[in-house]
Amino acid sequence: MPDPNGFLRYDRKLPARRPVPVRISDWREVYPSADEPLIREQATRCMDCGIPFCHDGCPLGNRIPDWNDLVRTGNWATAIESLHATNNFPEFTGRLCPAPCEAACVLGIAGGAPVTIKQVEVEIVNRAFDLDLVTPQEVPAPSGKRVAVVGSGPAGLAAAQQLVRAGHAVTVYERDDAIGGLLRYGIPDFKLEKEHIDRRLAQLTAEGVQFRTGVNVGVGVTAEQLRAEHDAVLLACGALAGRDTPQTPGRPLRGVHQAMEHLVASNRLVNGRESSTPIDAAGKHVVIIGGGDTAADCLGVAHRQGAAGVHQLDLYPRPPHERDEERDPWPTWPWILREYPAHEEGGERVFAVAVQEFVDDGTGQVRAVRIAEVTVEKRDGQRFLTVLPGSERELPADLVLLAIGFEGTEEQPLLDQLGVVRNRRGAIDSDAEWQAGTPGVFVAGDMHRGASLIVWAIAEGRAAAAAIDRYLGGPGQLPAPVTPSAQPLAVPAR
């Protein structure tokens, strides 16, 4: 039984981050592993609610109260079993997920401090690896069925592991030179060191998953070849088509780049795949356009590359520090000011502004951005901006990074070859069994729902794997945590 007074005896507390001057001099993770007494103390704060809304906040259905109490009592071996029962890769989610489970924690009602669920999660899997508790599972007799997974991000990898554990032969195809998708080249090492990917891949390989890198399916291997060699195909190619702003004067100038171009180039350099990066912030005035995770990643990279100064621009006004119960009542995901570790490292955030022009230095290189204060109004699903007269000003800019979201999955030959089309959001629709309009072709993750959270990618990968197993004649025992139409907790439209 949990400690009924734990949340009264202990305040919410996270482990200290590495000091800013130290961490911006390298690419190691910001958070060191926490001491066991702290994590057990924080797990003790969990109330083991009769109706745990954290379950609904997380699409994976993680058994959060269960493994919190196991951590409280120091039972790490059973805790990792409970965690792995719903989540293939807690070392990824524990580092990268913004934790909607914490927003739904009962202790967060009326401005309270929720349990540090995300931190407890990552410490469970950290200790599991340290104690050699993460080992390959014994797989059943081969089913004789073959599945191709196109894309090796969290959705594809989760599906591959579920399917190989059901006895199917699984091959994962990746067009990059290493497995991991955005985990590999889109996420900086200060958030996710790549050893975490590699040791999990070793487990998948030992369980029988085959990996083929440097294969652009639809080009190097046609869809016809893929379907001839496999009984089912899962598309898990992500949503990498970056949103652009082609109408803004000066967009073609040198020095204006998509954020992912910057992040991928930096990751390839840090991970020894390249000897230099074509987009370097060293000594430059950097302007990052966007207010989300990708923008914060660019900010942290710019600090480590030695930028002279950084401005991060957000179209919307500064959010409040606490949940607005009228706008975002508990347990929904609140619109609040989110301070990432990168913001602690430097730079200036500018809210309620929009870029009016990228300013030419006379040689075709950007030298500044001209911005103006704006108000934003949404009507009938559209966004309308109003510029405040007389508010225009310039910010110096030698490098501009566009981190303004994604427009869905990329147009690629594979889609035409499979007879699959993008919807108006740039994503791929599916039926109730995760099939993408062509029999035997399934879709999951960001490619299906658009750019989203890593927990949704893993949840969709697991659910699609269950559907594929049924399609292949399996017993239908694989877990399916979400349906294709599932959505995050939200307030019904008024």
Side-chain angles (χ1 to χ4, degrees):
M1 177 178 175
D3 183 342
N5 299 311
F7 71 99
L8 297 173
R9 292 193 291 118
Y10 300 115
D11 294 328
R12 177 183 169 97
K13 186 178 180 181
L14 291 169
R17 298 165 179 162
R18 297 170 62 217
V20 169
V22 174
R23 71 183 192 236
I24 64 171
S25 67
D26 62 34
W27 295 88
R28 302 298 303 274
E29 288 181 10
V30 167
Y31 286 99
S33 189
D35 294 334
E36 183 165 332
L38 172 62
I39 294 305
R40 292 180 64 174
E41 173 188 292
Q42 292 302 300
T44 301
R45 297 186 68 241
C46 180
M47 300 166 62
D48 193 14
C49 305
I51 302 177
F53 278 82
C54 56
H55 284 193
D56 296 302
C58 176
L60 285 166
N62 282 332
R63 302 169 181 174
I64 295 165
D66 292 357
W67 40 257
N68 269 326
D69 197 49
L70 291 165
V71 169
R72 179 184 71 86
T73 57
N75 192 341
W76 297 100
T78 309
I80 189 61
E81 288 182 9
S82 179
L83 186 50
H84 272 152
T86 56
N87 186 352
N88 299 72
F89 313 121
E91 65 273 32
F92 303 156
T93 56
R95 287 172 168 83
L96 303 176
C97 181
C101 54
E102 293 187 18
C105 176
V106 168
L107 288 182
I109 294 176
V115 175
T116 59
I117 299 170
K118 175 179 172 179
Q119 190 66 42
V120 175
E121 176 184 23
V122 79
E123 296 301 340
I124 293 172
V125 72
N126 284 349
R127 280 157 179 76
F129 274 107
D130 291 343
L131 297 171
D132 201 25
L133 299 174
V134 183
T135 56
Q137 287 192 11
E138 184 176 349
V139 299
S143 68
K145 302 295 185 180
R146 300 185 58 83
V147 182
V149 177
V150 185
S152 68
L157 293 180
Q161 186 166 56
Q162 295 297 99
L163 287 164
V164 80
R165 289 177 175 178
H168 307 304
V170 181
T171 302
V172 176
Y173 294 83
E174 170 58 57
R175 66 181 178 183
D176 280 334
D177 57 4
I179 294 295
L182 279 183
L183 297 173
R184 177 70 65 179
Y185 289 134
I187 304 295
D189 277 38
F190 56 79
K191 288 176 64 176
L192 177 73
E193 293 181 38
K194 302 309 179 270
E195 66 176 0
H196 302 299
I197 304 173
D198 295 335
R199 64 187 182 182
R200 188 60 78 169
L201 293 179
Q203 182 196 37
L204 269 69
T205 300
E207 291 176 351
V209 178
Q210 300 290 315
F211 295 104
R212 292 187 60 186
T213 58
V215 179
N216 189 355
V217 179
V219 180
V221 173
T222 66
E224 183 180 6
Q225 292 173 292
L226 200 69
R227 301 212 64 189
E229 297 173 6
H230 300 87
D231 300 289
V233 175
L234 173 63
L235 302 178
C237 305
L240 301 176
R243 187 171 291 125
D244 210 328
T245 177
Q247 74 283 359
T248 303
R251 172 60 182 91
L253 293 174
R254 297 191 309 275
V256 182
H257 300 275
Q258 287 280 356
M260 290 310 303
E261 296 173 359
H262 179 231
L263 294 176
V264 169
S266 171
N267 267 301
R268 292 187 66 83
L269 173 62
V270 170
N271 286 274
R273 300 288 179 169
E274 304 290 347
S275 59
S276 62
T277 173
I279 308 174
D280 197 336
K284 295 178 181 178
H285 294 284
V286 181
V287 171
I288 302 167
I289 304 174
D293 283 5
T294 302
D297 291 347
C298 290
L299 179 61
V301 170
H303 293 324
R304 285 157 181 77
Q305 289 181 337
V310 188
H311 286 88
Q312 182 185 345
L313 311 183
D314 196 320
L315 190 65
Y316 296 96
R318 180 185 292 269
H321 286 278
E322 297 182 354
R323 181 196 295 268
D324 181 345
E325 292 289 350
E326 290 295 320
R327 174 191 170 111
D328 306 305
W330 178 89
T332 61
W333 181 248
W335 182 64
I336 59 173
L337 182 65
R338 304 190 187 280
E339 299 279 1
Y340 297 87
H343 295 123
E344 183 185 25
E345 298 164 0
E348 180 181 347
R349 301 176 80 174
V350 186
F351 293 91
V353 296
V355 173
Q356 307 299 297
E357 181 185 4
F358 301 109
V359 183
D360 195 336
D361 72 349
T363 71
Q365 165 69 38
V366 66
R367 70 163 181 81
V369 294
R370 184 166 56 85
I371 64 173
E373 296 178 21
V374 296
T375 58
V376 183
E377 183 181 359
K378 289 185 177 179
R379 299 192 302 270
D380 300 324
Q382 290 186 297
R383 188 174 63 190
F384 298 90
L385 303 185
T386 302
V387 174
L388 180 64
S391 66
E392 293 189 0
R393 60 190 175 101
E394 284 190 4
L395 296 175
D398 310 302
L399 174 62
V400 178
L401 302 172
L402 305 178
I404 52 179
F406 298 88
E407 294 185 334
T409 199
E410 298 168 295
E411 286 282 11
Q412 50 189 300
L414 175 62
L415 301 183
D416 289 337
Q417 293 172 17
L418 289 173
V420 173
V421 297
R422 304 194 314 164
N423 61 26
R424 62 181 181 81
R425 298 181 297 107
I428 305 299
D429 290 325
S430 78
D431 63 17
E433 285 294 305
W434 298 93
Q435 295 196 62
T438 299
V441 177
F442 299 77
V443 63
D446 286 3
M447 193 174 191
H448 168 253
R449 70 183 298 112
S452 186
L453 306 183
I454 186 171
V455 283
W456 278 98
I458 296 174
E460 290 212 354
R462 289 169 66 88
I468 293 170
D469 181 53
R470 290 192 297 270
Y471 174 81
L472 297 177
Q477 296 177 345
L478 291 182
V482 294
T483 64
S485 60
Q487 295 296 325
L489 284 172
V491 177
R494 295 189 177 97

